[in-house]
């Protein structure tokens, strides 16, 4: 087991290409931390620096307080799982899982014990004699996991391991990896661009963009209190709605948009009074916009006229794509909610659940 710590880590490639900068992050012992962000944001570079496959340009990476900068990958006691499985096609499942142990000169009995126990843990005990070509994608991924587990590493590194699987298998493997973390109690760092994967897997998330970590916290902390607009937009499906607004003193502080004026929610009043500019962005989650407000929520809602453009029935819920004053807005409602494309409805935006961001910086205004 190990705590992994980044102190002012930066990675610059040849040609002055900045891949990661100002990385200050601590992954606690036995924690599953997910690095999440769009393609090219630097998350895989951060993972590869932990593995020793990339050298940090500056800063330090520590395992349990010890600097690992000069340690080669083989001496870091880490295991890495890739999206392409990287199995030897001519070897059986058993031999693929045993290969690393054989290189480290473990006894045959120890190798057998570790491989069989790990195979049973992953539900692939009956596949040990098969070759990779005879396995499904999910089974191959389990073998790749098993090959790492038998080594009993201090840190597991996952680089988009589920990208090659179909949607149903990804869900199943997410559960398997989470159970694995709970069973073997090993530090895990998991890289993905899939925000659903990140939200369901991580003890904590570190959201990255353009080489920087923008916010670190539990999935619910980041979802409910995004520190910047990018985090609010990236986490959640459908994505958060954004409405440009100007502060206006009409009848007290108001947020004036292109189609209506919102009263400033009470919890933002102090921040708005301290705010030097007038340009803000309102953020509203789809589940906080209603065609019919739930009981008790209507008092905190602001109603506006809307036209239904498209509906997406998903069984237990329905997604409404609305046009409000020329702007497209997405609402998420229970699956039995009625509404047809082209129909006029009253859309209720829950003021108690709004987010406010500075327009220029994207930084969230604090709320009381």
């Amino acid at each position: 087991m190990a705590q992994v710590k980044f102190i002012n880590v930066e990675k610059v490639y040849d040609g002055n290409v900045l891949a990661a900068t100002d990385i200050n992050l601590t992954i606690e012992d036995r924690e599953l931390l997910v690095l999440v962000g769009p393609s090219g944001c630097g998350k895989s570079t951060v993972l590869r620096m932990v593995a020793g496959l990339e050298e940090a340009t500056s800063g330090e990476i520590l395992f349990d307080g010890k600097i690992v900068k000069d340690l080669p990958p083989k001496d870091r006691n880490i295991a890495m799982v890739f999206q392409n499985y990287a199995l030897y096609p001519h070897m059986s499942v058993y031999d693929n899982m045993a290969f690393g142990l054989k290189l480290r000169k473990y006894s045959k009995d120890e190798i057998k014990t570790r491989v069989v126990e790990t195979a049973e843990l992953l539900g692939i005990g009956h596949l040990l004699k098969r070759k990779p070509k005879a396995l499904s994608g999910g089974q191959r991924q389990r073998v790749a996991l098993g090959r790492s587990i038998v080594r009993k590493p201090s840190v597991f590194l996952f680089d988009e391991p589920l990208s090659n699987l179909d949607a149903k298998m990804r869900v199943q493997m997410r559960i398997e990896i989470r159970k694995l973390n709970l069973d073997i109690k090993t530090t895990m760092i998991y890289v993905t661009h899939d925000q659903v994967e990140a939200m369901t897997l991580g003890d904590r998330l570190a959201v990255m963009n353009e080489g920087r970590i923008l916010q670190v916290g539990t999935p619910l902390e980041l979802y409910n209190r995004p520190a910047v607009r990018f985090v609010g937009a990236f986490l959640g499906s459908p994505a958060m709605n954004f409405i440009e607004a100007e502060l206006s003193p009409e009848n007290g502080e108001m947020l004036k948009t292109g189609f209506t004026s919102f009263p400033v929610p009470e919890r933002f009043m102090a921040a708005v009074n301290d705010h030097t500019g007038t340009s803000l962005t309102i953020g509203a989650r789809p589940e906080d916009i209603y065609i019919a407000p739930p009981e008790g929520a209507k008092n905190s809602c602001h109603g506006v006229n809307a036209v239904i453009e498209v509906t997406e029935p998903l069984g237990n819920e329905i997604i409404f794509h609305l046009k409000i004053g020329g702007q497209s807005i997405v609402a998420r409602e229970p699956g039995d909610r009625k509404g047809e494309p082209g129909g006029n409805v009253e859309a209720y935006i829950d003021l108690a659940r709004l987010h406010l961001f500075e327009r220029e910086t994207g930084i969230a205004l604090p709320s009381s």
Side-chain angles (χ1 to χ4, degrees):
M1 318 319 153
Q3 180 201 71
V4 179
K5 189 169 186 175
F6 297 80
I7 302 176
N8 300 325
V9 171
E10 182 171 273
K11 176 63 180 178
V12 181
Y13 288 109
D14 292 342
N16 204 31
V17 177
L18 185 65
T21 186
D22 194 27
I23 305 299
N24 287 281
L25 177 66
T26 299
I27 300 101
E28 298 296 347
D29 182 29
R30 304 185 181 189
E31 180 180 24
L32 198 168
L33 180 124
V34 179
L35 288 167
V36 61
S39 297
C41 72
K43 55 191 185 296
S44 289
T45 298
V46 171
L47 197 74
R48 289 171 64 84
M49 287 192 287
V50 177
L53 301 176
E54 299 281 359
E55 184 178 344
T57 306
S58 61
E60 300 292 355
I61 300 173
L62 298 86
F63 286 11
D64 285 333
K66 298 177 182 177
I67 295 173
V68 297
K69 186 173 185 178
D70 296 326
L71 276 182
K74 66 183 180 64
D75 295 331
R76 296 194 180 195
N77 195 23
I78 56 94
M80 198 160 182
V81 181
F82 301 92
Q83 67 184 64
N84 62 359
Y85 319 132
L87 302 177
Y88 296 107
H90 63 287
M91 291 184 182
S92 67
V93 168
Y94 182 96
D95 288 334
N96 265 285
M97 292 175 64
F99 186 72
L101 300 179
K102 290 177 180 177
L103 290 179
R104 288 165 176 79
K105 308 298 183 183
Y106 282 84
S107 69
K108 287 186 178 181
D109 288 343
E110 175 70 6
I111 290 172
K112 183 177 180 180
T113 298
R114 289 197 183 195
V115 170
V116 171
E117 286 180 353
T118 301
E120 292 302 321
L121 174 68
L122 294 170
I124 55 174
H126 61 296
L127 302 175
L128 290 175
K129 294 182 179 180
R130 293 191 190 180
K131 300 284 180 63
K133 67 181 180 181
L135 305 177
S136 68
Q139 289 169 338
R140 292 179 192 178
Q141 191 57 273
R142 284 188 173 88
V143 177
L145 287 170
R147 182 180 53 193
S148 298
I149 294 169
V150 294
R151 291 177 45 207
K152 298 183 178 179
S154 297
V155 183
F156 270 100
L157 306 177
F158 296 89
D159 192 4
E160 309 232 21
L162 309 185
S163 295
N164 291 336
L165 303 179
D166 62 44
K168 183 177 180 181
M169 185 56 66
R170 281 202 301 272
V171 172
Q172 186 174 339
M173 286 305 300
R174 284 205 308 262
I175 296 169
E176 295 294 331
I177 291 171
R178 191 59 177 138
K179 286 167 60 179
L180 184 64
N181 174 251
L182 297 173
D183 287 340
I184 66 177
K185 297 179 173 63
T186 302
T187 307
M188 295 183 175
I189 307 175
Y190 190 104
V191 160
T192 182
H193 65 275
D194 185 328
Q195 52 94 9
V196 175
E197 206 168 286
M199 294 282 289
T200 54
L201 266 177
D203 294 316
R204 288 189 304 152
L205 314 183
V207 180
M208 292 190 66
N209 190 39
E210 297 181 345
R212 297 179 182 274
I213 294 176
L214 301 182
Q215 189 175 0
V216 181
T218 67
L220 285 180
E221 284 172 351
L222 269 60
Y223 186 82
N224 291 325
R225 299 182 73 89
V228 292
R229 173 174 170 161
F230 180 89
V231 174
F234 192 80
L235 297 179
S237 182
M240 180 182 284
N241 297 287
F242 294 104
I243 305 165
E244 303 304 334
E246 298 289 335
L247 277 174
S248 171
E250 301 169 8
N251 301 317
E253 294 292 351
M254 300 291 286
L255 294 165
K256 192 172 183 179
T257 72
F259 55 87
T260 190
S261 292
F262 296 87
V264 174
E266 183 64 31
R267 69 187 190 282
F268 285 115
M269 282 306 245
V272 164
N273 290 333
D274 292 338
H275 186 61
T276 55
T278 60
S279 298
L280 296 172
T281 300
I282 299 169
R285 294 276 183 203
E287 60 268 28
D288 300 325
I289 299 175
Y290 315 112
I291 302 301
E295 190 172 345
K298 192 167 185 178
N299 290 338
S300 66
C301 289
H302 181 79
V304 291
N305 294 322
V307 177
I308 300 174
E309 291 190 299
V310 177
T311 61
E312 294 182 88
L314 300 174
N316 66 321
E317 63 183 20
I318 182 168
I319 307 299
F320 288 94
H321 294 263
L322 308 173
K323 185 70 79 172
I324 303 177
Q327 178 163 352
S328 295
I329 300 288
V330 179
R332 189 206 323 255
E333 286 274 43
D336 59 356
R337 189 73 69 234
K338 303 299 182 184
E340 297 296 332
N344 291 292
V345 293
E346 186 84 353
Y348 295 89
I349 301 174
D350 194 340
L351 302 180
R353 303 279 297 172
L354 288 186
H355 304 264
L356 291 181
F357 304 92
E358 293 182 356
R359 191 179 304 175
E360 287 190 12
T361 65
I363 296 172
L365 268 63
S367 61
S368 56

